[in-house]
Amino acid sequence: MPATETQTQSALLGVYKPSGPTFVGGEGCELIAEDGRRFLDFTSGIAVNALGYGDPDVAAAIRGAVDAGLIHTSNLFRTQPAAELAGWLAEHSFADRVFFCNSGAEANEGAIKFARRLAGEGRHEIIAFRNGFHGRTMGALAATDRAAYQDPFRPLMPGVVFCDIGDTAEVDRLLARGKTAAVLIEPIQAEGGVKPVPAAFLKSLRWLCDEAGALLIMDEVQTGLGRTGTLWAHEAAGVAPDIMTLAKPLAGGLPMGAVLVTEAVASALKPGDHGSTFGGGVLVASAALAACRKIGAEPFLAEVRRKGTLLADLLGALALRRPNVRAVRGAGMIWGVEVDDAAGIVARAQDAGLLLVSAGADVVRLLPPLVISDDELRRGVAVLEEAIPC
Ligand code: PLP
């Protein structure tokens, strides 16, 4: 007997609270519900669907892998798409080598291990930041400063120390102890309320890490690959890390993570030090190549920057008309609107056909697909304004 919708939902582990309709299709920047209603999507599957729904190049790449009968081979053997993708990422970043995995949290686990491997015994500490988010697996969770996420799962991985964003003196003091393998930071604290980290602080971290012989890890899982208008968010600060983690938009909607490293980090790792059965499989790597080539083209990024300015203007004007908007901040296609009741606004917008996601109790987050049109941006912001009480 076919399962009813309620039966299907009830078999899912209750760690999520999905709301609204059941979606059965997507087109461009819209999701289509089973009753045919269309929703303008300002979530992009939480910063994943940078190219919207039904991108023809990603679909063709996936079809190509399926038609070749090669979805997966494991890393016991060489395959072309993973090698080409690693080459593309290295060519378009500070990095020399790339490790592929399956999610953002897994990428951060890899980054922590790689940093510890290079640092050696006695230098195992990671400096992370208050209000940051790096994922839910045990290492990433230890670096995620959120009591509600951490407390039920103690004891956590030891060796993570937290600093406030901007507190250079404290970072300096911790590094001087000689125990630090790496400093781990998001260039914009995304889950933490879309809070851009000042460029001057990122520059100080780079300098302090170099002085202390520690690595700088940028978690660009949410900000990477064009979301902020540059290929990598750290470019805007003029600071290059030693390790960068990526995931969300990397494979056009398929699950993929990556850890990008310099040759110095790579030189510390040898066969057997780390691994991931599915990492860099043919299907995902083919989709990722298509997504990266499209997003990485300079005219595409210039469009994200232009539309980012439009979105900034629209949100600035909205804030003037809605006095209970306390702040608007972001870049490119990642914005946070600070309000009193983010959940209520997200719910009202959804009823009116706009999908949004909160970032904490008081920030409504906007993560439109990078391919969104000017009209769709205007339409979405108009719905958002209606959902915010006067
Ligand atoms: N790092 C950052 C900055 C993120 O925003 C997220 C997810 O939101 C993660 C890591 C974890 O990624 P995943 O959910 O793919 O494990």
Side-chain angles (χ1 to χ4, degrees), residues 61-80:
I62 291 173
R63 254 182 239 116
V66 171
D67 290 347
L70 256 196
I71 290 175
H72 169 81
T73 60
S74 89
N75 289 299
L76 293 175
F77 311 108
R78 283 194 199 90
T79 52
Q80 191 57 34

Side-chain angles (χ1 to χ4, degrees), residues 316-329:
L318 174 155
L320 291 177
R321 292 189 293 267
R322 288 287 186 276
N324 44 14
V325 169
R326 291 196 294 272
V328 170
R329 50 181 179 253

Side-chain angles (χ1 to χ4, degrees), residues 22-28 30-34 37-39 53-54:
T22 298
F23 290 114
V24 294
E27 190 180 6
E30 291 186 333
L31 274 171
I32 304 160
E34 56 187 351
R37 239 182 117 195
R38 284 175 170 263
F39 291 74
Y53 297 93

Side-chain angles (χ1 to χ4, degrees), residues 46 103-106 108 133-135 186 190-191 219 221-222 247-248:
I46 320 186
S103 70
E106 195 188 344
N108 285 327
F133 182 89
H134 300 288
E186 300 161 85
E191 298 293 316
D219 177 344
V221 166
Q222 189 149 164
K248 290 177 178 287

